[in-house]
């Protein structure tokens, strides 16, 4: 009578193989995860370098306050005044605004010549917290400050176009934020005037930077700008 085969060695070998495969998979996942973290840090370091370079260029010719305002972001506030319920720039501020727009354009042109277009610009328009009378209707009352702030941002974008820049050439847009980001919350004429303002918000595009670094790593002989 033939003796039955002992299945235990085969099962133990299979279990050992699965254990080795699982351990190898964990190691591989760990390597990939570590690589991803290193890449993310590299991207952020490159974003910091670009923004510091732009910050240095802006500080030389910008009549305003330049500051960091978030991750991979810098902002500069220009003292452009607006009258109550008006989006026209005061004549006394026009020359200073043009100087700021020219400084921004020169920095953007330098950045574009040496890198891909990796920094986007948002011109933000702001209002004070007061609203028009409810006699105009709730819809008009709600929309008024949003439309007014958008008009102020567009007025600054117009001056940027006049300085030789263009929304078609650079990654730039104008948006209204109404009274959603007030810098002063007192109900005084001085406070309201501070809130009627515009701001340039520059932000590094991490995805574009990641694409450029990856492309350069895959093809070191290629230039710094990926195709397209």
């Amino acid at each position: 009578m033939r003796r039955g085969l002992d299945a235990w060695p085969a099962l133990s070998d299979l279990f050992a193989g699965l254990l080795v495969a699982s351990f190898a998979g964990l190691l591989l996942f760990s390597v990939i995860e570590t690589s991803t973290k290193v890449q993310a840090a590299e991207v952020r370091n490159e974003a910091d370098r670009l923004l510091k370079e732009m910050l240095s260029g802006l500080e030389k010719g910008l009549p305003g306050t330049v500051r960091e305002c978030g991750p991979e972001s810098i902002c500069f506030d220009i003292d452009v005044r607006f009258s109550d319920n008006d989006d026209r720039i005061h004549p006394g501020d026009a020359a200073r605004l043009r100087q700021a727009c020219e400084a921004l354009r020169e920095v953007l042109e330098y950045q574009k010549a040496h890198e891909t277009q990796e920094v986007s610009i948002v011109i933000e328009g702001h209002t004070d917290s007061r609203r028009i009378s409810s006699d105009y209707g709730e819809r008009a009352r709600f929309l008024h400050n949003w439309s007014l702030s958008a008009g102020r941002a567009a007025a600054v974008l117009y001056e940027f176009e006049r300085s030789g820049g263009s929304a078609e050439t650079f990654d730039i847009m104008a948006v209204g934020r109404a009274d959603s980001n007030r810098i002063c919350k007192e109900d005084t004429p001085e406070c309201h005037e501070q809130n009627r303002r515009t701001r340039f918000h520059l932000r590094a595009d991490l995805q574009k930077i990641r694409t450029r670094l990856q492309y350069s790593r895959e093809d070191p002989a290629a230039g710094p700008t990926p195709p397209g």
Side-chain angles (χ1 to χ4, degrees):
M1 184 176 182
R2 298 180 60 184
R3 298 170 57 185
L5 296 177
D6 187 358
W8 174 248
L11 289 174
S12 62
D13 289 344
L14 178 60
F15 178 77
L18 289 174
L19 185 63
V20 170
S22 299
F23 183 69
L26 288 174
L27 286 178
L28 180 60
F29 178 79
S30 177
V31 170
I32 293 174
E33 182 69 15
T34 302
S35 175
T36 302
K37 288 181 179 179
V38 170
Q39 188 180 46
E42 186 178 358
V43 170
R44 293 187 181 278
N45 288 338
E46 181 66 6
D48 288 341
R49 183 190 70 80
L50 283 176
L51 289 173
K52 286 178 180 177
E53 188 176 275
M54 294 191 72
L55 185 63
S56 176
L58 287 171
E59 286 177 331
K60 295 175 183 177
L62 186 68
T65 303
V66 187
R67 58 189 171 81
E68 294 184 3
C69 57
E72 294 81 44
S73 299
I74 57 176
C75 297
F76 63 90
D77 299 299
I78 305 175
D79 185 17
V80 179
R81 298 170 296 166
F82 297 90
S83 296
D84 192 17
N85 289 323
D86 200 346
D87 61 9
R88 290 175 296 181
I89 299 166
H90 283 201
D93 294 334
R96 182 168 60 256
L97 177 58
R98 280 195 295 270
Q99 182 183 350
C101 288
E102 289 172 2
L104 176 60
R105 178 182 54 78
E106 290 174 0
V107 170
L108 289 173
E109 287 177 347
Y110 176 86
Q111 190 248 352
K112 188 175 181 181
H114 290 78
E115 310 286 351
T116 57
Q117 191 169 294
E118 294 170 350
V119 176
S120 60
I121 302 94
V122 178
I123 303 173
E124 299 177 352
H126 301 268
T127 69
D128 58 47
S129 59
R130 296 174 298 169
R131 297 188 179 185
I132 60 175
S133 171
S134 58
D135 293 342
Y136 290 94
E138 286 303 316
R139 183 178 185 275
R141 189 169 186 264
F142 175 82
L143 293 178
H144 179 74
N145 279 354
W146 289 100
S147 299
L148 182 60
S149 62
R152 290 171 177 172
V156 174
L157 178 58
Y158 173 69
E159 293 299 331
F160 180 75
E161 294 263 354
R162 291 184 64 192
S163 74
S166 169
E168 296 178 357
T169 304
F170 304 106
D171 187 3
I172 186 168
M173 70 175 70
V175 300
R177 299 198 61 183
D179 60 335
S180 64
N181 190 16
R182 288 173 288 162
I183 58 177
C184 179
K185 297 186 178 180
E186 298 175 7
D187 187 12
T188 63
E190 295 77 15
C191 180
H192 295 320
E193 184 175 6
Q194 289 182 50
N195 286 325
R196 296 194 298 266
R197 71 196 192 280
T198 56
R199 182 177 77 166
F200 286 88
H201 185 180
L202 288 73
R203 186 173 180 84
D205 189 322
L206 298 185
Q207 185 56 49
K208 288 183 179 179
I209 294 174
R210 184 189 305 276
T211 299
R212 172 169 59 86
L213 293 178
Q214 187 65 37
Y215 179 74
S216 299
R217 181 173 296 173
E218 292 173 356
D219 187 4
T225 306

